[in-house]
């Protein structure tokens, strides 16, 4: 009997989170040599750093000096500037790139991946097309014709890179894929739980960034912990309601996984969406200006998702059903008074849900 084919892993993306997760995967390809090839390829959008290519610096120093400085990625992480070359022959694709690039990148990969390839999406967001919100793992599946799982959790990239203990959630259709992904991502400091609700997981991953904008608005107004806790709790309620109303197969239990309440708490406490929203409140500038000043070229995900969710709800005349998500959009984009966040948390004429 021939030996099983070893899985070749490629990371599609190389920002803060992409570099952190490449490091996790690189450790596990070494830990499980019977299952994975040692080398982990990482597609890097080429940039110039002090006159040198970023890929050259990563391959020489084994650090992403721009997006994850002073962290050793492992000598088996190889940065490649051409996405087709990076993905060629890969059995596992790990998508961790801004969601506006997903379609173009996937179209370019159709002819270079083998039929037995599988993918996993770490993309936090939903895609708004033709008044509909789409799940990214399902869109990747449609374009590439392969199974695509999803990973999401309370995972601040720098903390994962520093090996501070945390949890994450993986959701997939196929239990065999789940076993492979567990071995690729699980470590002593990065604790993985595998579930089947890929839609609920990705709804959580998208909407928590919008709620974090609300937490940032609360912080920017110097409101206390009681108000911020109310934002988080109401946000979780609206996240669950949104998932169950608009996406089939979403389970309430998913919102109590790391991808749900834990990720929401982490993002509202220290994530970039919260930080930028807090600075925005007193800045007198647009959210885009504040983002550019604070994020070193990276993009917020909560602002894009907020716009998409608002337009999706507006098309269905349902903004009043989601008062917090609606208020956040109006503060950020319609110059509504920031104080309306707290005003719209007040319970009035709300249907009692005893489920």
């Amino acid at each position: 009997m021939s030996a099983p084919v070893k899985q070749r892993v490629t990371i599609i993306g190389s920002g803060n989170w992409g570099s952190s997760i490449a490091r996790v995967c690189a450790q596990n390809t070494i830990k499980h040599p019977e299952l994975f090839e040692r080398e982990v390829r990482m597609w890097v959008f080429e940039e110039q750093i002090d006159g040198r290519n970023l890929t050259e610096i990563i391959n020489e120093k084994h650090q992403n000096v721009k997006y994850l400085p002073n962290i050793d990625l492992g000598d088996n992480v190889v940065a490649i500037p051409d996405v087709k070359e990076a993905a060629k022959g890969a059995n596992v694709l790990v998508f961790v790139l801004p969601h506006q690039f997903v379609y173009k990148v996937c179209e370019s990969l159709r002819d270079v991946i083998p039929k037995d390839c599988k993918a996993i999406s770490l993309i936090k967001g939903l895609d708004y097309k033709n008044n509909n919100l789409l799940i990214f793992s399902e869109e990747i599946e449609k374009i590439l014709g392969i199974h695509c799982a999803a990973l999401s959790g309370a995972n601040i990239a720098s903390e994962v890179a520093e090996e501070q203990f945390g949890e994450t959630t993986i959701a997939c259709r196929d239990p065999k894929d789940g076993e492979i992904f567990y071995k690729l991502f699980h470590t002593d400091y990065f604790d993985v739980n595998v579930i089947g609700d890929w839609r609920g997981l990705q709804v959580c991953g998208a909407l928590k960034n919008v709620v974090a904008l609300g937490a940032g608005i609360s912080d920017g107004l110097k409101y206390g912990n009681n108000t911020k806790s109310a934002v988080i709790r109401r946000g979780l309620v609206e996240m669950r309601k949104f998932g169950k109303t608009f996406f089939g197969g979403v389970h309430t239990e998913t919102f109590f996984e790391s991808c749900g309440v834990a990720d929401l708490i982490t993002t509202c406490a220290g994530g970039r969406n919260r930080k930028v929203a807090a600075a925005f409140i007193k800045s007198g500038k647009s959210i885009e200006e504040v983002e550019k000043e604070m994020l070193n070229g990276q993009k917020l995900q909560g602002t894009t998702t907020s716009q998409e969710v608002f337009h999706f709800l507006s098309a269905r005349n349902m903004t009043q059903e989601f008062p917090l998500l609606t208020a956040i959009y109006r503060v950020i984009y319609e110059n509504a008074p920031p104080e309306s966040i707290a005003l719209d948390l007040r319970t009035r004429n709300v249907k009692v849900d005893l489920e």
Side-chain angles (χ1 to χ4, degrees), residues 41-283:
R41 297 180 179 182
M42 180 172 70
W43 173 53
V44 176
F45 184 80
E46 194 69 278
E47 299 180 57
Q48 294 292 305
I49 307 293
D50 296 328
R52 296 186 63 198
N53 289 337
L54 180 56
T55 52
E56 294 175 8
I57 299 171
I58 291 172
N59 291 331
E60 177 187 306
K61 296 187 174 182
H62 308 299
Q63 292 182 17
N64 188 332
V65 294
K66 180 167 185 181
Y67 295 114
L68 194 68
N70 305 315
I71 295 290
D72 187 271
L73 301 180
D75 61 10
N76 57 324
V77 174
V78 178
I80 299 174
D82 183 276
V83 69
K84 295 179 75 168
E85 183 63 30
K88 189 175 181 180
N91 310 97
V92 179
L93 296 177
V94 181
F95 284 92
V96 53
L97 74 168
H99 64 264
Q100 61 266 35
F101 302 123
V102 170
Y103 292 97
K104 183 178 179 181
V105 167
C106 283
E107 290 288 350
S108 73
L109 299 182
R110 276 183 169 179
D111 300 327
V112 300
I113 58 172
K115 292 181 180 179
D116 68 344
C117 186
K118 61 194 70 65
I120 185 165
S121 170
L122 279 65
I123 300 160
K124 299 285 182 76
L126 301 168
D127 190 37
Y128 183 66
K129 274 188 176 178
N130 301 320
N131 282 336
N132 248 322
L133 285 171
L134 307 174
I135 300 286
F136 272 109
S137 70
E138 295 177 355
E139 293 302 290
I140 292 167
E141 288 181 336
K142 289 176 190 174
I143 298 170
L144 296 180
I146 61 177
H147 282 177
C148 185
L151 180 152
S152 187
N155 307 140
I156 291 176
S158 59
E159 294 183 14
V160 175
E162 293 165 0
E163 301 191 7
Q164 298 183 38
F165 180 79
E167 301 174 315
T168 200
T169 313
I170 289 174
C172 59
R173 303 172 189 263
D174 188 334
K176 290 182 180 178
D177 288 350
E179 292 174 10
I180 291 171
F181 289 131
Y182 180 87
K183 289 184 177 178
L184 182 60
F185 292 102
H186 179 79
T187 70
D188 289 341
Y189 62 88
F190 196 58
D191 197 67
V192 171
N193 188 36
V194 181
I195 64 173
D197 182 9
W198 67 90
R199 287 177 174 167
L201 177 142
Q202 288 170 92
V203 169
C204 288
L207 295 188
K208 59 99 181 187
N209 285 319
V210 182
V211 179
L213 295 174
I217 293 167
S218 178
D219 286 349
L221 292 168
K222 306 297 184 189
Y223 288 164
N225 291 326
N226 289 351
T227 308
K228 189 171 179 178
S229 295
V231 170
I232 294 170
R233 189 201 70 82
R234 186 65 63 86
L236 183 63
V237 170
E238 292 193 13
M239 286 165 57
R240 173 184 173 274
K241 181 177 180 179
F242 194 96
K244 284 188 158 289
T245 301
F246 301 116
F247 296 92
V250 170
H251 301 152
T252 292
E253 293 82 0
T254 302
F255 295 84
F256 296 98
E257 293 284 347
S258 181
C259 64
V261 64
D263 195 11
L264 178 62
I265 292 169
T266 295
T267 310
C268 290
R272 69 178 69 161
N273 290 280
R274 185 212 66 81
K275 291 176 183 175
V276 173
F280 161 76
I281 291 304
K282 300 297 183 184
S283 69

